[in-house]
Amino acid sequence: MSEMQDTHSQPPPTPADGSLEKAKRRQILDGAREVFLARGFDGASMGEIAKTAGVSKGTLYVYFDSKEALFEALTTEEKRGLAEVLFKLDADDPDVRGVLTRLGHSYLVHMGRPEHISSVRMVIGAAEKFPRIGQIFYEAGPCRGIERLGAYLDRQVQAGRLTISDTPVAAQQFLDLCKSGVMHRLLFAVGDRPTEEEIHKTVESAIRVFFAAYGPNAAPR
């Protein structure tokens, strides 16, 4: 169950409008990220989050009425922002191999970051009890990335540079090829983060397979 506000505390003031409210919200989210990554979703408490963020527990509840709401806001903001950075693709760039190579490299670099692995583990652990957390994480991150990459692939199909009948599926397949065994290995804490050489080889392999299936001369599929 969600942690509830202490009914004996005085009701905190309503958040101010404008920059002050944004700064306070940012302060809370930064503190929440630190606690969630250190304690996991179940282990984190609103009291500890308030302390780490440097706000009163009452103030925390003005902005977020539960731990689930706070986690959802943090996940949505971070994953959407990340998708916009990683998948900022120029639809008119004719160098499809170059675009996908750069995307694959940045994608794998991010996937291998310890804080990302910790986030995925935390969501997986909490999703059974709180399915909405898993849904929020998936929709804000992977789904948005696939949507953006699919839009880029659509333009390349129209330009005759690729032969794809289902671009969302092709986008998912390319990302899966890039992370291949790397993500599973890291999730189970087996081995180290991928080296530049491993990233390069993995992305090169993904590009080869992708173009064998969807290159301009490939059979329609």
Side-chain angles (χ1 to χ4, degrees):
M1 295 180 61
S2 304
E3 296 182 51
M4 300 302 294
Q5 182 178 357
D6 183 357
T7 55
H8 297 292
S9 62
Q10 293 296 319
T14 301
D17 291 332
S19 60
L20 181 60
E21 179 179 358
K22 289 181 180 178
K24 185 65 68 176
R25 189 175 188 276
R26 179 75 268 152
Q27 181 180 341
I28 291 171
L29 290 174
D30 288 344
R33 183 192 304 107
E34 182 178 337
V35 175
F36 280 133
L37 288 177
R39 305 289 188 187
F41 179 80
D42 283 338
S45 70
M46 290 293 268
E48 185 176 6
I49 290 171
K51 182 178 179 180
T52 302
V55 300
S56 69
K57 197 171 179 180
T59 297
L60 175 59
Y61 276 104
V62 169
Y63 287 83
F64 302 100
D65 62 7
S66 69
K67 187 169 67 171
E68 291 82 2
L70 177 51
F71 186 80
E72 286 181 13
L74 181 65
T75 297
T76 300
E77 177 179 291
E78 293 195 345
K79 293 305 173 186
R80 282 182 178 171
L82 180 65
E84 290 178 5
V85 172
L86 285 181
F87 294 88
K88 193 173 184 178
L89 308 173
D90 181 0
D92 295 320
D93 190 334
D95 182 11
V96 183
R97 288 179 182 270
V99 169
L100 294 182
T101 296
R102 290 189 293 274
L103 171 61
H105 182 275
S106 59
Y107 184 69
L108 266 181
V109 168
H110 168 72
M111 295 292 284
R113 288 176 178 164
E115 59 270 26
H116 174 73
I117 298 300
S118 295
S119 293
V120 174
R121 287 173 180 155
M122 177 172 56
V123 170
I124 291 173
E128 185 172 359
K129 186 187 294 186
F130 302 104
R132 179 166 167 75
I133 289 177
Q135 180 181 354
I136 290 288
F137 185 92
Y138 184 73
E139 290 178 353
C143 282
R144 188 166 290 254
I146 291 168
E147 179 183 342
R148 284 174 171 261
L149 179 53
Y152 173 78
L153 297 179
D154 280 332
R155 290 292 295 273
Q156 308 319 305
V157 171
Q158 293 166 10
R161 301 184 188 110
L162 294 172
T163 306
I164 307 173
S165 60
D166 191 330
T167 51
V169 169
Q172 176 72 75
Q173 289 171 338
F174 176 72
L175 296 178
D176 286 345
L177 286 168
C178 285
K179 64 185 181 182
S180 61
V182 173
M183 187 62 177
H184 288 155
R185 185 184 84 209
L186 295 177
L187 281 174
F188 290 104
V190 178
D192 300 321
R193 292 172 60 181
T195 63
E196 279 293 322
E197 181 180 4
E198 183 180 0
I199 289 174
H200 177 73
K201 287 182 177 180
T202 300
V203 175
E204 262 197 346
S205 177
I207 294 289
R208 283 197 304 272
V209 173
F210 187 83
F211 272 84
Y214 299 121
N217 300 318
R221 55 182 76 215

